[in-house]
């Protein structure tokens, strides 16, 4: 994509949005504090897992912590995590890392267990704004189908709330652009892309604010990265 004459492309991207929503929904103290302190959540995760201070965390330890943070979000199995870790990690080593993570972040484990239990009892899960997703395979006799439904159920409140958030932002932003040349081009996952007219850079903060404040009941700080 190339911006038209007299315009620049502006990307507004939610930062670690699903992890922030996880912290909001599970209330895990360590995750909540990391986002409130506005420090790197993967470094915090690594320091807690390895029992070291944040300034002692190595790049490799942060990499492992980042993989674990997202493995939990998407219900990755120990086999899947071992593949992602690479470098000769065995399934048993990946399983031990997942167990260690669950011990360090008990509220995350409690949240995922409760979410799956809700899907089993009701047949659906909900986002923060109470939008439902149904899981007809949550009681499937086929184990693979059932476990796939459980992984989807675990992630749906998080990914679904992120989806709600960006949709609400897309409703709130057009009034800000009235009488301006700047236009919204497209949405890509957790990102909105604009053609920003030269001289209309004053729109950046109102757009960012509309995206960050889309669901006011979320108390965890939401951050949007802007690139021109």
């Amino acid at each position: 994509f190339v911006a038209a004459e007299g315009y620049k492309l502006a990307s507004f991207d939610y930062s670690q949005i699903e992890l922030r929503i996880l912290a909001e929904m599970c209330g895990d103290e360590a995750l909540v504090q990391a986002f409130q302190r506005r420090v790197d959540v993967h470094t915090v995760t690594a320091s807690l897992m390895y029992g070291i201070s944040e300034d002692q965390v190595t790049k490799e330890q942060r990499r492992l912590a980042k993989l674990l943070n997202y493995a939990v979000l998407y219900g990755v199995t120990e086999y899947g995590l071992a593949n992602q870790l690479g470098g000769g990690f065995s399934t048993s080593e990946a399983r031990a890392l997942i167990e260690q993570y669950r011990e360090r972040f008990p509220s995350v484990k409690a949240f995922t267990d409760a979410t799956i239990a809700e899907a089993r009892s009701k047949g659906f899960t909900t986002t923060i704004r109470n939008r439902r997703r149904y899981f007809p395979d949550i009681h499937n006799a086929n184990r693979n189908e059932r476990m796939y439904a459980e992984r989807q159920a675990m992630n749906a409140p998080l990914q679904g709330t992120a989806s709600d958030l960006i949709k609400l932002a897309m409703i709130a932003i057009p009034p800000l652009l009235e009488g301006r040349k700047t236009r919204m081009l497209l949405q890509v996952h957790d990102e909105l892309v604009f053609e920003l007219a030269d001289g209309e850079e004053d729109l950046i903060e109102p757009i960012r604010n509309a995206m960050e404040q889309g669901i006011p009941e979320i108390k965890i700080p939401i951050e949007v990265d802007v690139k021109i």
Side-chain angles (χ1 to χ4, degrees), residues 17-227:
I17 188 61
E18 289 180 42
L19 282 173
R20 292 173 193 272
I21 292 167
L22 172 66
E24 176 73 25
M25 295 185 87
C26 79
D28 187 272
E29 190 176 346
L31 287 177
V32 169
Q33 284 188 1
F35 288 122
Q36 287 178 339
R37 287 164 53 211
R38 297 182 188 271
V39 295
D40 179 62
V41 68
H42 305 310
T43 300
V44 171
T45 301
S47 74
L48 287 167
M49 286 194 62
Y50 293 103
I52 56 178
S53 65
E54 290 170 24
D55 58 3
Q56 291 177 305
V57 172
T58 66
K59 284 185 177 180
E60 178 62 12
Q61 287 169 332
R62 183 189 179 277
R63 183 184 80 88
L64 296 180
K66 182 176 180 179
L67 282 173
L68 275 164
N69 276 331
Y70 286 105
V72 168
L73 279 179
Y74 294 101
V76 175
T77 63
E78 52 259 33
Y79 176 75
L81 181 61
N83 280 340
Q84 287 182 20
L85 291 168
F89 268 88
S90 68
T91 304
S92 59
E93 286 172 317
R95 186 185 304 117
L97 278 173
I98 291 172
E99 287 305 317
Q100 187 180 352
Y101 183 98
R102 287 170 175 167
E103 287 171 13
R104 296 290 187 273
F105 299 94
S107 301
V108 175
K109 177 73 164 64
F111 167 75
T112 55
D113 287 349
T115 303
I116 292 170
E118 179 186 26
R120 285 184 186 136
S121 66
K122 297 180 180 178
F124 61 84
T125 58
T126 56
T127 67
I128 285 177
R129 278 296 174 93
N130 292 315
R131 187 163 56 86
R132 294 180 182 184
R133 180 171 176 184
Y134 288 85
F135 300 96
D137 287 330
I138 200 75
H139 297 294
N140 197 308
N142 181 303
R143 183 174 180 273
N144 287 339
E145 296 286 343
R146 186 173 67 252
M147 290 185 70
Y148 180 62
E150 288 178 1
R151 290 196 297 274
Q152 285 184 315
M154 198 164 66
N155 179 250
L158 310 171
Q159 207 165 47
T161 298
S163 175
D164 291 347
L165 182 64
I166 201 165
K167 287 181 175 72
L168 289 163
M170 291 165 75
I171 293 168
I173 288 167
L176 303 175
L177 306 182
E178 285 181 8
R180 302 294 197 108
K181 295 179 180 177
T182 294
R183 49 194 177 239
M184 196 186 321
L185 284 184
L186 75 162
Q187 175 215 358
V188 189
H189 302 298
D190 299 328
E191 174 185 2
L192 293 179
V193 183
F194 295 78
E195 272 191 318
L196 181 66
D198 292 345
E200 292 189 355
E201 289 78 12
D202 61 305
L203 284 169
I204 289 173
E205 287 312 310
I207 291 171
R208 189 206 306 263
N209 189 57
M211 291 178 70
E212 292 178 346
Q213 302 301 320
I215 301 181
E217 52 265 47
I218 296 177
K219 302 307 179 192
I220 296 290
I222 302 296
E223 292 187 5
V224 172
D225 297 325
V226 183
K227 294 186 178 69

